[in-house]
Amino acid sequence: AANRPSSTLTRAEATARAAAHVNLAPSETERKTRPAKLVYHPVAPDNLRLGWQVEIETPDGDHHWVVTVDAVSGALLDKFDRIVSNQEDLA
């Protein structure tokens, strides 16, 4: 069962909320953000939440966040970084 069939947040509002959830100002994400898309995000067995999924690359290129925010409240549903780094101690 899904919480609702349509969003109350606009795409721009969802993008701003997603940026805040990864500690970025919306102005820091303007050029490196893919357009948000509506998705159903599982939060429990038989329970879906309508959400906006936003991909944000940080200006320094160190992170490529995929953030899903609730399409009604803007609350964080999920976030993960597609960039994985492994720095070995070369000393």
XYZ file of all heavy atoms in Angstrom:
701
model
N 0.845 -1.179 0.000
C 0.000 0.000 0.000
C 0.887 1.239 0.000
O 1.865 1.309 0.730
C -0.893 0.001 1.222
N 0.551 2.191 -0.828
C 1.321 3.436 -0.914
C 0.594 4.534 -0.149
O -0.625 4.523 -0.024
C 1.489 3.844 -2.373
N 1.385 5.496 0.330
C 0.790 6.551 1.150
C -0.103 7.486 0.349
O -1.092 7.978 0.864
C 1.876 7.337 1.882
C 2.837 8.068 0.951
O 3.146 7.586 -0.137
N 3.335 9.213 1.387
N 0.234 7.765 -0.917
C -0.615 8.629 -1.735
C -0.162 8.585 -3.187
O 0.968 8.258 -3.473
C -0.646 10.047 -1.194
C 0.647 10.789 -1.238
C 0.595 12.171 -0.582
N -0.577 12.917 -0.928
C -1.325 13.583 -0.045
N -1.000 13.593 1.204
N -2.375 14.261 -0.422
N -1.041 8.956 -4.111
C -0.714 8.850 -5.533
C -0.029 10.088 -6.118
O 0.452 10.035 -7.239
C -2.083 8.645 -6.185
C -3.028 9.355 -5.268
C -2.461 9.178 -3.888
N -0.006 11.209 -5.392
C 0.618 12.405 -5.963
C 1.385 13.174 -4.895
O 1.131 13.043 -3.701
C -0.436 13.319 -6.607
O -1.353 13.760 -5.632
N 2.315 13.994 -5.353
C 3.201 14.747 -4.469
C 2.589 16.082 -4.081
O 1.900 16.707 -4.881
C 4.525 14.990 -5.191
O 5.363 15.814 -4.419
N 2.874 16.513 -2.857
C 2.507 17.873 -2.469
C 3.716 18.799 -2.562
O 3.551 20.010 -2.578
C 1.917 17.924 -1.046
O 2.872 17.421 -0.129
C 0.632 17.117 -0.961
N 4.928 18.229 -2.636
C 6.136 19.030 -2.830
C 6.408 19.183 -4.319
O 6.213 18.240 -5.086
C 7.354 18.345 -2.211
C 7.486 18.269 -0.705
C 8.774 17.550 -0.342
C 7.469 19.637 -0.087
N 6.888 20.341 -4.712
C 7.312 20.517 -6.102
C 8.683 19.877 -6.291
O 9.381 19.576 -5.316
C 7.409 22.008 -6.469
O 8.469 22.597 -5.702
C 6.096 22.735 -6.221
N 9.064 19.704 -7.525
C 10.387 19.166 -7.837
C 11.480 20.051 -7.229
O 12.441 19.554 -6.639
C 10.559 19.054 -9.349
C 11.931 18.555 -9.756
C 12.048 18.398 -11.254
N 11.523 17.073 -11.577
C 10.611 16.834 -12.507
N 10.129 17.812 -13.234
N 10.194 15.610 -12.738
N 11.320 21.363 -7.322
C 12.319 22.293 -6.777
C 12.394 22.197 -5.247
O 13.490 22.233 -4.669
C 12.005 23.723 -7.203
N 11.248 22.092 -4.585
C 11.237 21.953 -3.129
C 11.912 20.652 -2.703
O 12.686 20.628 -1.735
C 9.804 21.989 -2.597
C 9.133 23.336 -2.710
C 7.631 23.271 -2.435
O 7.003 22.209 -2.670
O 7.096 24.297 -1.985
N 11.639 19.592 -3.425
C 12.242 18.294 -3.111
C 13.754 18.348 -3.296
O 14.507 17.796 -2.484
C 11.634 17.206 -3.982
N 14.209 19.008 -4.348
C 15.646 19.129 -4.592
C 16.314 19.914 -3.473
O 17.392 19.544 -3.000
C 15.897 19.783 -5.963
O 15.300 18.958 -6.976
C 17.375 19.932 -6.251
N 15.679 20.987 -3.022
C 16.238 21.780 -1.915
C 16.296 20.948 -0.635
O 17.286 21.002 0.104
C 15.396 23.033 -1.699
N 15.260 20.166 -0.364
C 15.255 19.308 0.833
C 16.356 18.248 0.734
O 17.050 17.965 1.706
C 13.910 18.619 1.010
C 12.750 19.530 1.233
C 12.645 19.973 2.694
N 11.509 20.830 2.880
C 10.359 20.469 3.445
N 10.210 19.237 3.889
N 9.383 21.327 3.572
N 16.506 17.664 -0.446
C 17.546 16.643 -0.638
C 18.930 17.242 -0.404
O 19.769 16.626 0.256
C 17.450 16.048 -2.044
N 19.165 18.433 -0.925
C 20.452 19.104 -0.727
C 20.707 19.332 0.763
O 21.818 19.104 1.257
C 20.488 20.425 -1.489
N 19.689 19.762 1.476
C 19.841 19.995 2.915
C 20.188 18.706 3.654
O 20.967 18.732 4.613
C 18.564 20.612 3.480
N 19.645 17.578 3.207
C 19.908 16.299 3.871
C 21.346 15.825 3.675
O 21.802 14.932 4.391
C 18.931 15.224 3.404
C 17.545 15.389 3.949
N 17.259 15.387 5.292
C 16.361 15.560 3.318
C 15.960 15.548 5.479
N 15.390 15.665 4.290
N 22.075 16.404 2.715
C 23.497 16.080 2.545
C 24.367 17.302 2.839
O 25.505 17.401 2.396
C 23.812 15.473 1.155
C 23.164 14.108 1.012
C 23.404 16.398 0.020
N 23.795 18.237 3.604
C 24.510 19.429 4.092
C 25.049 20.318 2.982
O 26.170 20.822 3.064
C 25.632 19.027 5.058
C 25.108 18.310 6.263
O 24.108 18.706 6.856
N 25.748 17.214 6.622
N 24.256 20.511 1.946
C 24.615 21.418 0.862
C 23.530 22.473 0.715
O 22.347 22.194 0.926
C 24.746 20.662 -0.463
C 25.905 19.687 -0.593
C 25.756 18.881 -1.872
C 27.231 20.426 -0.580
N 23.939 23.660 0.331
C 22.984 24.710 0.005
C 22.478 24.452 -1.409
O 23.224 23.939 -2.245
C 23.649 26.077 0.082
N 21.225 24.802 -1.695
C 20.722 24.602 -3.062
C 21.622 25.240 -4.127
O 21.781 24.679 -5.212
C 19.340 25.250 -3.023
C 18.916 25.112 -1.599
C 20.190 25.294 -0.795
N 22.236 26.365 -3.805
C 23.114 27.023 -4.789
C 24.345 26.183 -5.110
O 24.929 26.324 -6.177
C 23.535 28.400 -4.279
O 24.271 28.260 -3.075
N 24.740 25.298 -4.196
C 25.898 24.435 -4.431
C 25.568 23.259 -5.332
O 26.458 22.552 -5.788
C 26.432 23.885 -3.105
C 27.029 24.918 -2.191
C 27.487 24.297 -0.889
O 26.621 24.030 -0.035
O 28.705 24.075 -0.745
N 24.297 23.034 -5.591
C 23.887 21.847 -6.340
C 23.310 22.157 -7.711
O 22.987 21.246 -8.455
C 22.831 21.059 -5.543
O 21.649 21.838 -5.439
C 23.340 20.680 -4.166
N 23.203 23.422 -8.067
C 22.488 23.805 -9.288
C 23.031 23.136 -10.538
O 22.273 22.648 -11.357
C 22.498 25.324 -9.454
C 21.610 26.014 -8.447
C 21.745 27.534 -8.487
O 22.576 28.039 -9.256
O 21.011 28.180 -7.744
N 24.336 23.121 -10.733
C 24.900 22.594 -11.969
C 25.140 21.089 -11.925
O 25.351 20.465 -12.951
C 26.210 23.300 -12.284
C 26.010 24.750 -12.599
C 27.264 25.435 -13.085
N 28.466 24.679 -12.901
C 29.590 25.168 -12.414
N 29.676 26.406 -12.058
N 30.662 24.411 -12.294
N 25.158 20.503 -10.751
C 25.537 19.101 -10.610
C 24.385 18.205 -10.175
O 24.608 17.114 -9.679
C 26.667 18.985 -9.576
C 27.929 19.719 -9.944
C 28.685 18.961 -10.991
C 30.058 19.578 -11.196
N 30.887 18.776 -12.046
N 23.158 18.648 -10.352
C 22.003 17.874 -9.909
C 21.191 17.402 -11.101
O 20.879 18.186 -11.993
C 21.110 18.733 -8.979
O 21.892 19.161 -7.881
C 19.921 17.939 -8.476
N 20.852 16.123 -11.107
C 19.951 15.604 -12.139
C 18.525 15.891 -11.711
O 18.222 15.913 -10.515
C 20.167 14.106 -12.303
C 21.521 13.796 -12.873
C 21.644 12.342 -13.193
N 22.977 12.095 -13.703
C 23.569 10.935 -13.662
N 22.956 9.900 -13.145
N 24.774 10.789 -14.139
N 17.630 16.085 -12.655
C 16.236 16.373 -12.295
C 15.653 15.291 -11.390
O 15.863 14.100 -11.597
C 15.516 16.400 -13.643
C 16.584 16.718 -14.635
C 17.836 16.080 -14.102
N 14.936 15.731 -10.370
C 14.297 14.807 -9.437
C 13.228 14.007 -10.168
O 12.590 14.502 -11.097
C 13.683 15.594 -8.280
N 13.043 12.764 -9.723
C 11.999 11.933 -10.311
C 11.176 11.300 -9.192
O 11.694 10.986 -8.116
C 12.583 10.883 -11.232
C 13.512 9.898 -10.561
C 14.092 8.929 -11.570
C 15.092 8.002 -10.894
N 15.708 7.093 -11.844
N 9.892 11.134 -9.456
C 9.008 10.505 -8.483
C 9.214 8.996 -8.486
O 9.294 8.377 -9.552
C 7.547 10.825 -8.786
C 7.079 12.208 -8.345
C 5.695 12.495 -8.914
C 7.080 12.328 -6.831
N 9.315 8.428 -7.292
C 9.500 6.982 -7.125
C 8.655 6.513 -5.943
O 8.243 7.315 -5.105
C 10.984 6.618 -6.856
C 11.864 7.003 -8.030
C 11.487 7.262 -5.568
N 8.386 5.230 -5.885
C 7.806 4.640 -4.684
C 8.950 3.973 -3.932
O 9.680 3.157 -4.486
C 6.708 3.627 -5.022
C 5.412 4.289 -5.375
C 4.969 4.333 -6.689
C 4.635 4.901 -4.395
C 3.766 4.954 -7.010
C 3.437 5.521 -4.707
C 3.014 5.549 -6.012
O 1.840 6.167 -6.326
N 9.114 4.349 -2.676
C 10.218 3.851 -1.856
C 9.672 2.928 -0.765
O 8.810 3.333 0.009
C 10.954 5.040 -1.220
C 12.155 4.636 -0.433
N 13.358 4.371 -1.028
C 12.325 4.435 0.893
C 14.225 4.033 -0.101
N 13.622 4.058 1.078
N 10.183 1.688 -0.688
C 9.698 0.785 0.357
C 10.235 1.191 1.725
O 11.427 1.432 1.883
C 10.254 -0.579 -0.069
C 11.446 -0.265 -0.904
C 11.167 1.059 -1.563
N 9.345 1.304 2.695
C 9.756 1.633 4.064
C 9.505 0.465 5.018
O 10.023 0.464 6.132
C 9.075 2.920 4.584
C 9.565 4.132 3.818
C 7.563 2.825 4.523
N 8.725 -0.480 4.605
C 8.439 -1.689 5.376
C 7.748 -2.662 4.430
O 7.292 -2.271 3.357
C 7.525 -1.359 6.562
N 7.672 -3.939 4.816
C 6.931 -4.874 3.962
C 5.501 -4.358 3.741
O 4.841 -3.906 4.675
C 6.933 -6.167 4.774
C 8.147 -6.051 5.648
C 8.253 -4.593 5.983
N 5.077 -4.353 2.511
C 3.728 -3.899 2.147
C 3.463 -2.433 2.461
O 2.318 -2.033 2.688
C 2.650 -4.765 2.821
C 2.742 -6.223 2.402
O 3.092 -6.471 1.225
O 2.500 -7.091 3.245
N 4.518 -1.615 2.505
C 4.340 -0.191 2.787
C 5.290 0.621 1.915
O 6.508 0.541 2.083
C 4.597 0.102 4.268
C 4.238 1.519 4.658
O 3.889 2.345 3.826
N 4.331 1.804 5.938
N 4.724 1.381 0.996
C 5.501 2.231 0.106
C 5.212 3.693 0.402
O 4.101 4.051 0.762
C 5.138 1.947 -1.358
C 5.362 0.536 -1.865
C 4.793 0.399 -3.270
C 6.831 0.194 -1.842
N 6.228 4.534 0.212
C 6.053 5.979 0.343
C 6.386 6.603 -1.008
O 7.383 6.246 -1.634
C 7.004 6.580 1.388
C 6.886 6.036 2.779
C 5.654 6.422 3.486
N 5.545 7.859 3.652
C 4.524 8.451 4.235
N 3.520 7.736 4.697
N 4.472 9.749 4.353
N 5.547 7.532 -1.437
C 5.859 8.285 -2.646
C 6.983 9.245 -2.296
O 6.920 9.945 -1.276
C 4.631 9.053 -3.128
C 4.814 9.839 -4.428
C 5.102 8.886 -5.598
C 3.586 10.682 -4.716
N 8.013 9.239 -3.102
C 9.163 10.096 -2.819
C 9.750 10.691 -4.076
O 9.477 10.250 -5.187
N 10.519 11.735 -3.863
C 11.319 12.328 -4.928
C 12.735 11.794 -4.765
O 13.325 11.886 -3.689
C 11.357 13.843 -4.808
C 10.114 14.550 -5.233
C 9.148 15.067 -4.422
C 9.713 14.855 -6.563
N 8.176 15.668 -5.172
C 8.500 15.558 -6.496
C 10.261 14.595 -7.821
C 7.828 16.009 -7.626
C 9.593 15.044 -8.941
C 8.394 15.747 -8.842
N 13.294 11.237 -5.842
C 14.679 10.774 -5.821
C 15.525 11.795 -6.585
O 15.221 12.137 -7.727
C 14.801 9.402 -6.462
C 16.182 8.803 -6.308
C 16.231 7.418 -6.877
O 16.221 7.251 -8.095
N 16.257 6.419 -6.017
N 16.555 12.274 -5.910
C 17.411 13.329 -6.459
C 18.854 12.843 -6.450
O 19.315 12.287 -5.451
C 17.311 14.622 -5.610
C 18.109 15.742 -6.237
C 15.858 15.038 -5.423
N 19.566 13.048 -7.556
C 20.993 12.735 -7.618
C 21.772 14.031 -7.597
O 21.538 14.920 -8.421
C 21.326 11.945 -8.879
C 20.752 10.546 -8.857
C 21.275 9.684 -9.977
O 22.481 9.786 -10.316
O 20.484 8.905 -10.527
N 22.689 14.144 -6.632
C 23.460 15.371 -6.434
C 24.950 15.032 -6.398
O 25.387 14.248 -5.559
C 23.091 16.062 -5.104
C 21.608 16.390 -5.065
C 23.939 17.306 -4.893
C 21.115 16.847 -3.709
N 25.699 15.633 -7.287
C 27.154 15.508 -7.245
C 27.696 16.756 -6.555
O 27.315 17.874 -6.903
C 27.724 15.394 -8.655
C 29.218 15.151 -8.661
C 29.776 15.017 -10.070
O 29.002 14.733 -10.994
O 30.985 15.216 -10.217
N 28.565 16.569 -5.568
C 29.118 17.729 -4.869
C 30.039 18.502 -5.801
O 30.619 17.931 -6.733
C 29.878 17.317 -3.598
O 30.913 16.402 -3.942
C 28.940 16.683 -2.575
N 30.180 19.812 -5.567
C 31.012 20.632 -6.462
C 32.451 20.124 -6.595
O 33.048 20.254 -7.660
C 30.978 22.016 -5.799
C 29.687 22.038 -5.050
C 29.497 20.619 -4.556
N 32.993 19.530 -5.536
C 34.370 19.026 -5.606
C 34.475 17.647 -6.254
O 35.559 17.134 -6.482
C 35.000 19.002 -4.215
C 34.247 18.114 -3.225
O 33.359 17.346 -3.648
O 34.545 18.221 -2.020
N 33.334 17.025 -6.562
C 33.323 15.726 -7.207
C 33.610 14.559 -6.270
O 33.711 13.420 -6.715
N 33.726 14.826 -4.967
C 34.039 13.763 -4.012
C 32.846 12.870 -3.678
O 33.018 11.780 -3.141
C 34.596 14.356 -2.715
C 36.013 14.878 -2.871
O 36.664 14.555 -3.890
O 36.472 15.613 -1.972
N 31.625 13.356 -3.948
C 30.437 12.598 -3.608
C 29.403 12.697 -4.729
O 29.296 13.727 -5.385
C 29.795 13.105 -2.309
C 30.721 13.071 -1.150
N 30.958 11.926 -0.424
C 31.494 14.035 -0.597
C 31.822 12.191 0.522
N 32.168 13.462 0.449
N 28.677 11.614 -4.918
C 27.546 11.585 -5.844
C 26.393 10.971 -5.058
O 26.253 9.741 -4.994
C 27.876 10.750 -7.085
C 26.787 10.750 -8.091
N 27.007 11.074 -9.405
C 25.467 10.474 -8.009
C 25.869 10.979 -10.076
N 24.911 10.613 -9.232
N 25.609 11.839 -4.434
C 24.531 11.401 -3.557
C 23.278 11.032 -4.337
O 22.920 11.714 -5.295
C 24.163 12.503 -2.570
C 25.219 12.772 -1.562
C 26.079 13.844 -1.539
C 25.551 11.987 -0.425
N 26.915 13.755 -0.461
C 26.610 12.616 0.241
C 25.052 10.795 0.094
C 27.174 12.112 1.400
C 25.615 10.279 1.249
C 26.662 10.943 1.888
N 22.618 9.982 -3.912
C 21.279 9.639 -4.368
C 20.412 9.754 -3.120
O 20.583 8.999 -2.164
C 21.204 8.228 -4.970
C 19.774 7.907 -5.388
C 22.147 8.107 -6.160
N 19.535 10.749 -3.123
C 18.735 11.072 -1.947
C 17.261 10.921 -2.312
O 16.815 11.429 -3.342
C 19.006 12.522 -1.484
C 18.223 12.841 -0.220
C 20.497 12.761 -1.282
N 16.505 10.235 -1.455
C 15.066 10.107 -1.646
C 14.376 10.770 -0.468
O 14.659 10.445 0.685
C 14.638 8.630 -1.742
O 15.410 7.996 -2.775
C 13.165 8.510 -2.074
N 13.526 11.750 -0.787
C 12.772 12.452 0.248
C 11.290 12.168 0.059
O 10.811 11.963 -1.060
C 13.027 13.982 0.237
C 14.473 14.286 0.557
C 12.633 14.616 -1.075
N 10.565 12.153 1.163
C 9.127 11.928 1.138
C 8.472 13.036 0.306
O 8.768 14.221 0.487
C 8.595 11.942 2.569
C 7.152 11.523 2.651
O 6.295 12.338 2.249
O 6.881 10.413 3.126
N 7.604 12.662 -0.619
C 6.982 13.628 -1.536
C 5.925 14.489 -0.864
O 5.444 15.448 -1.458
C 6.362 12.902 -2.726
N 5.588 14.165 0.373
C 4.597 14.942 1.112
C 5.273 15.810 2.166
O 5.082 17.025 2.214
C 3.551 14.014 1.773
C 2.577 14.811 2.610
C 2.821 13.212 0.703
N 6.124 15.202 2.986
C 6.726 15.930 4.113
C 8.131 16.440 3.839
O 8.605 17.331 4.539
C 6.770 15.022 5.342
O 7.713 13.970 5.135
N 8.833 15.852 2.864
C 10.220 16.226 2.617
C 11.194 15.511 3.543
O 12.396 15.741 3.477
N 10.679 14.633 4.390
C 11.540 13.881 5.302
C 12.449 12.938 4.513
O 12.084 12.448 3.444
C 10.689 13.078 6.284
N 13.622 12.692 5.055
C 14.569 11.796 4.419
C 14.064 10.360 4.477
O 13.736 9.848 5.537
C 15.924 11.889 5.126
C 17.030 11.002 4.587
C 17.422 11.441 3.174
C 18.231 11.054 5.517
N 13.994 9.716 3.312
C 13.649 8.287 3.244
C 14.896 7.440 3.067
O 14.992 6.347 3.607
C 12.674 8.022 2.099
C 11.291 8.648 2.217
C 10.477 8.396 0.950
C 10.561 8.121 3.446
N 15.862 7.945 2.293
C 17.072 7.179 2.033
C 18.114 8.093 1.414
O 17.771 9.050 0.721
C 16.761 6.028 1.066
C 17.918 5.053 0.901
O 18.609 4.775 1.898
O 18.125 4.572 -0.224
N 19.377 7.798 1.676
C 20.465 8.470 0.964
C 21.659 7.541 0.929
O 21.891 6.774 1.851
C 20.833 9.808 1.598
C 21.571 9.729 2.906
C 21.972 11.112 3.411
C 22.707 11.005 4.727
N 23.119 12.302 5.233
N 22.361 7.570 -0.194
C 23.604 6.829 -0.291
C 24.518 7.536 -1.273
O 24.082 8.289 -2.135
C 23.387 5.352 -0.663
C 22.845 5.111 -2.038
C 23.689 4.904 -3.113
C 21.478 5.064 -2.252
C 23.177 4.671 -4.380
C 20.963 4.822 -3.506
C 21.815 4.638 -4.578
N 25.801 7.293 -1.096
C 26.831 7.926 -1.908
C 27.329 6.901 -2.918
O 27.768 5.812 -2.534
C 27.966 8.397 -1.000
C 28.974 9.281 -1.697
O 28.884 9.456 -2.934
O 29.864 9.804 -1.006
N 27.255 7.244 -4.192
C 27.732 6.325 -5.230
C 29.249 6.309 -5.348
O 29.807 5.425 -6.003
C 27.136 6.703 -6.589
C 25.691 6.369 -6.685
C 25.214 6.550 -8.090
N 23.853 6.042 -8.173
C 23.206 5.902 -9.286
N 23.772 6.230 -10.432
N 21.984 5.449 -9.283
N 29.916 7.269 -4.729
C 31.373 7.324 -4.771
C 31.919 6.528 -3.591
O 31.583 6.781 -2.441
C 31.903 8.778 -4.682
C 31.327 9.650 -5.790
C 33.427 8.798 -4.663
C 31.852 9.373 -7.162
N 32.744 5.563 -3.892
C 33.408 4.798 -2.861
C 34.888 5.051 -3.027
O 35.455 4.912 -4.107
C 33.114 3.286 -3.017
C 33.884 2.482 -1.972
C 31.628 3.018 -2.914
N 35.539 5.457 -1.950
C 36.987 5.707 -2.053
C 37.717 4.846 -1.048
O 37.210 4.542 0.032
C 37.300 7.182 -1.828
O 36.952 7.554 -0.513
N 38.899 4.450 -1.425
C 39.738 3.650 -0.563
C 41.128 4.222 -0.657
O 41.781 4.123 -1.688
C 39.719 2.192 -0.995
C 40.538 1.313 -0.087
O 40.951 1.732 0.993
N 40.780 0.088 -0.518
N 41.564 4.836 0.404
C 42.899 5.404 0.416
C 43.792 4.503 1.244
O 43.574 4.294 2.438
C 42.880 6.818 0.979
C 42.091 7.772 0.147
C 42.118 9.182 0.723
O 42.666 9.431 1.772
N 41.512 10.097 0.005
N 44.821 3.972 0.599
C 45.749 3.105 1.311
C 46.858 3.947 1.917
O 47.247 4.976 1.365
C 46.357 2.091 0.347
C 45.345 1.120 -0.205
C 45.982 0.106 -1.144
O 47.174 -0.182 -0.973
O 45.270 -0.379 -2.026
N 47.347 3.510 3.031
C 48.466 4.193 3.675
C 49.734 3.826 2.907
O 50.178 2.679 2.908
C 48.572 3.754 5.131
C 49.629 4.520 5.887
O 50.248 5.432 5.304
O 49.837 4.193 7.073
N 50.290 4.796 2.220
C 51.465 4.544 1.391
C 52.753 4.821 2.141
O 53.835 4.718 1.565
C 51.394 5.403 0.118
C 50.177 5.121 -0.769
C 50.172 6.079 -1.951
C 50.181 3.690 -1.258
N 52.692 5.187 3.389
C 53.896 5.514 4.160
C 54.625 4.281 4.625
O 54.205 3.198 4.662
C 53.534 6.354 5.377
